[in-house]
Amino acid sequence: MKVIDFTQNENVSIPQEVVATLGFFDGVHIGHQHLLDQVKAEAKRSDLPSAVITFPIHPRKVLNTDYQPKLLCGLQEKLDRLADTGIDYCIVLPFTKELSELSAEKFISQVLSKKLNVHTLLIGYDHRFGHNREEGFEDYKRHGEHTGMNVVLATEYKLDGEDVSSSQVRRLLIAGDVVKANKLLTYNYTLTGKIVEGYQVGRTIGFPTANMKVWEKYKVVPLLGVYAVFVHYEEQVLEGMLYVGKRPTLHNDPEISVEVNIFNFDGDLYNHSLTVEFIDFIRGDEKFDNVKELIDSIQSDKIKVKERLKQEKR
């Protein structure tokens, strides 16, 4: 996939006409993939390259600087996920207040047709754009006809009879249901971060942990608790258990900690980057009466995590 990034060079051009779709594509979940499959099929019929047009920053963040988006992926991860779909081009378009004020008609004629060279535009079944999102598909189709652009309504995708959306995936993660979230994503949800110095209490109770500072500021952190995870470190994929919580038994921190205990690993990880891949939720965050009860629970957690990770093929 070739990335054409208008945030880096506003004078870049699209070399030929494309069959495209438009959206933020947070998480690039199975519903997005269904839409992109339709783009690729239409591109093949038209003998043109396929393209996805997306934005580097959530549009609501641009319109309201106080808005704190909950994201399934940062820009680079999104680009990597989009590349995995087999799309030919990813066009990164800066979302600005000026862009948001364009009517759908002007956005189609001035931006999509003239600037981005879109020959055919596939619209997600529930997607709206243009000033205040006032118009719908029939309007887009009519505007497209005026500029010589073919506008097509994509088919809806349902999984087990349910709609699939980025919002739904976020709700599942916040509820701790990483198994179902992973099913909708078609891959295991991840967090990536730098290992920083922590309280170092874990090593004193037999469970040394690496404390992660997540790189992506707005990325969704799942429900507080203990998870079975795979840990990606350099070229290795290691087994581990992840704790997300406020350490109520030891410190009752005001901030949420993200700590991973990597099985059968002995090394200095400070200032290195790790990626944790969520496999399953084990239990919620709990406050124990004493440290012994905490240790007993962690030992039980480790047994459950090992059993769960055995079920995953690697």
Side-chain angles (χ1 to χ4, degrees):
M1 181 184 78
K2 182 176 181 180
V3 177
I4 300 176
D5 191 346
F6 281 88
T7 67
Q8 299 297 319
N9 181 2
E10 62 180 18
N11 296 316
V12 70
S13 61
I14 312 302
Q16 64 185 114
E17 289 186 314
V18 295
V19 175
T21 191
L22 170 76
F24 189 61
F25 294 96
D26 188 27
V28 194
H29 55 63
I30 195 169
H32 294 144
Q33 294 166 35
H34 175 70
L35 171 58
L36 296 176
D37 284 344
Q38 293 175 74
V39 172
K40 291 186 293 181
E42 184 64 35
K44 186 174 182 180
R45 281 192 291 271
S46 304
D47 196 25
L48 292 171
S50 59
V52 56
I53 303 163
T54 193
F55 309 109
I57 299 173
H58 197 288
R60 283 184 62 186
K61 182 66 176 172
V62 175
L63 299 177
N64 177 8
T65 55
D66 292 332
Y67 176 62
Q68 302 289 312
K70 294 291 187 181
L71 300 180
L72 300 175
C73 60
L75 178 60
Q76 186 56 56
E77 183 181 353
K78 176 163 65 174
L79 295 178
D80 293 341
R81 300 292 181 192
L82 288 170
D84 289 341
T85 69
I87 285 285
D88 296 314
Y89 289 101
C90 178
I91 301 168
V92 181
L93 185 69
F95 189 89
T96 62
K97 291 199 72 171
E98 293 74 20
L99 189 71
S100 74
E101 291 168 357
L102 291 178
S103 66
E105 181 179 14
K106 287 185 177 179
F107 182 71
I108 287 173
S109 62
Q110 296 177 10
V111 179
L112 296 181
S113 179
K114 185 176 180 180
K115 186 173 184 176
L116 303 185
N117 213 0
V118 175
H119 173 278
T120 299
L121 179 69
L122 272 80
I123 303 290
Y125 76 95
D126 62 348
H127 186 68
R128 287 176 177 262
F129 59 84
H131 183 61
N132 290 335
R133 304 171 73 188
E134 295 167 341
E135 297 181 286
F137 172 73
E138 292 302 326
D139 301 298
Y140 307 149
K141 188 173 179 64
R142 185 176 69 256
H143 300 325
E145 289 171 352
H146 292 162
T147 62
M149 182 189 301
N150 185 28
V151 179
V152 178
L153 183 64
T155 62
E156 181 181 2
Y157 183 85
K158 289 181 179 289
L159 183 66
D160 300 329
E162 297 181 358
D163 293 336
V164 179
S165 69
S166 300
S167 296
Q168 183 186 12
V169 177
R170 293 185 201 107
R171 286 192 294 269
L172 290 168
L173 290 171
I174 291 169
D177 193 350
V178 295
V179 172
K180 188 168 183 180
N182 291 344
K183 184 177 180 181
L184 299 190
L185 290 170
T186 71
Y187 58 86
N188 295 329
Y189 187 68
T190 62
L191 290 177
T192 298
K194 177 183 178 181
I195 302 305
V196 297
E197 188 169 354
Y199 290 105
Q200 300 185 0
V201 175
R203 66 183 66 251
T204 69
I205 60 174
F207 295 94
T209 59
N211 293 264
M212 292 179 61
K213 182 178 181 181
V214 179
W215 291 121
E216 175 53 59
K217 179 180 179 181
Y218 296 117
K219 190 155 186 182
V220 173
V221 175
L223 178 71
L224 305 190
V226 177
Y227 294 84
V229 298
F230 285 113
V231 182
H232 297 254
Y233 172 60
E234 295 183 342
E235 300 300 317
Q236 304 174 74
V237 180
L238 307 164
E239 295 183 346
M241 58 179 174
L242 183 78
Y243 170 73
V244 180
K246 296 188 175 183
R247 301 155 51 94
T249 306
L250 298 172
H251 292 280
N252 200 21
D253 300 334
E255 300 294 326
I256 293 174
S257 295
V258 180
E259 308 175 16
V260 60
N261 173 244
I262 306 174
F263 304 155
N264 303 317
F265 179 84
D266 183 19
D268 184 2
L269 295 173
Y270 287 130
N271 295 317
H272 289 268
S273 182
L274 293 181
T275 295
V276 292
E277 180 185 351
F278 287 81
I279 302 302
D280 210 344
F281 178 76
I282 302 301
R283 66 166 173 87
D285 198 11
E286 298 178 45
K287 181 175 182 178
F288 298 95
D289 291 336
N290 52 62
V291 173
K292 182 181 183 305
E293 285 187 8
L294 172 63
I295 293 173
D296 290 344
S297 181
I298 295 174
Q299 289 173 336
S300 176
D301 295 338
K302 185 172 183 178
I303 293 170
K304 293 174 184 176
V305 167
K306 282 181 166 290
E307 287 299 316
R308 181 62 182 86
L309 294 178
K310 279 183 184 177
Q311 300 169 22
E312 294 296 308
K313 293 181 180 179
R314 272 292 184 265

